[in-house]
Amino acid sequence: MGLLTGKKAIVFGIANEKSIAWAIAQAFRREGADLAVTYANETLAKRVIPLAESVGASLVLPCDVRDDDDIKAVFARVERSWGGLDTLVHSVAFANKDELKGSFLNTSREGFSLAMDISAYSLVALAKGAHPLLKERQGSIITLSYYGGQKVFPNYNVMGVAKAALEMSVRYLAEAVGPDGIRVNAISAGPLKTLAAAGVGGFNQIAGHVAEKAPLRRNISQDEVAGAALYLASDLSSGVTGEVHFVDSGYNIIG
Ligand code: KAL
């Protein structure tokens, strides 16, 4: 018996084989969950569809999280196939590249709003869309954050503000859906070289610093994040909600 045998899970945010969302999707399948995955656009579809097929995902659906109709269509499809949902994984973030470097003072109104919409509000929108399905089965919602939402890091800029909003949304959502038996938690992952991280400045320096200073003296892997996601998706964490759980080699405790 797997940890998630009999459970139905949907994962938002796979871009390629380095995605945290992909490590989580694989772990969920390994532990017996039925899986739905979404892709944000046609470019990503070319990578995501073959990956989804390779693990035997039941559903592969388009979803731009800015679009309420897309979100509605996804959960209508899940409802038709499964009638309920046990786990929703939100591993989605975006900010304009030119605002992920230099001074935070250069953040534009449009850039701020876009980063907040895709990286923070989308969790609320997905939670709202999935609520009737999750309520059916005392489901668990998991999102991905980064320590740059709590402390200032060079270049993270507007994304740090969005992660702060995301982490607080986890707490408000946890309170809102707790009476229905639904749990909401975040995993704050250490630096991982994903497609989102590619091409944004300062990654190597931060990862190097973690390897030097973190209690474990190394960086983490996607699989270690997936391990925490398995725990938060499974009944092992039935008493845990509103948490931001660090998977970061302990870096966040160092002053
Ligand atoms: C301090 C760190 C160094 C890196 C700085 C900023 C990282 C921001 C993450 C954000 C999600 C990146 C983007 O939105 C990039 C985007 O402008 C261009 N890329 C894309 O469109 C690709 C194709 C798609 C797949 O990407 C997205 N996002 O859709 C932070 C490091 C140490 C830790 C990281 C990388 C944290 C994090 O939030 O990802």
Side-chain angles (χ1 to χ4, degrees), residues 15 93-95 97 100 146 154 156 159 163 191 195-197 200-201 203 206:
F94 185 87
K97 228 172 181 171
L100 298 171
Y146 176 62
Y156 204 57
M159 189 53 64
K163 290 301 192 190
L195 187 59
V200 271
F203 176 90
I206 291 170

Side-chain angles (χ1 to χ4, degrees), residues 30 36 48 61 63 67 71 77 98 101 130 148-149 162 164 175 179 192 195 199 202 205 210 218 226 232 245 253:
R30 190 188 73 226
V48 175
L61 305 166
C63 187
D67 187 334
I71 293 175
R77 188 73 182 77
D98 54 2
K101 60 180 178 217
E175 200 285 326
L192 282 167
L195 187 59
Q205 218 177 336
V210 168
R218 63 171 176 83
L232 289 172
H245 181 60
I253 69 164

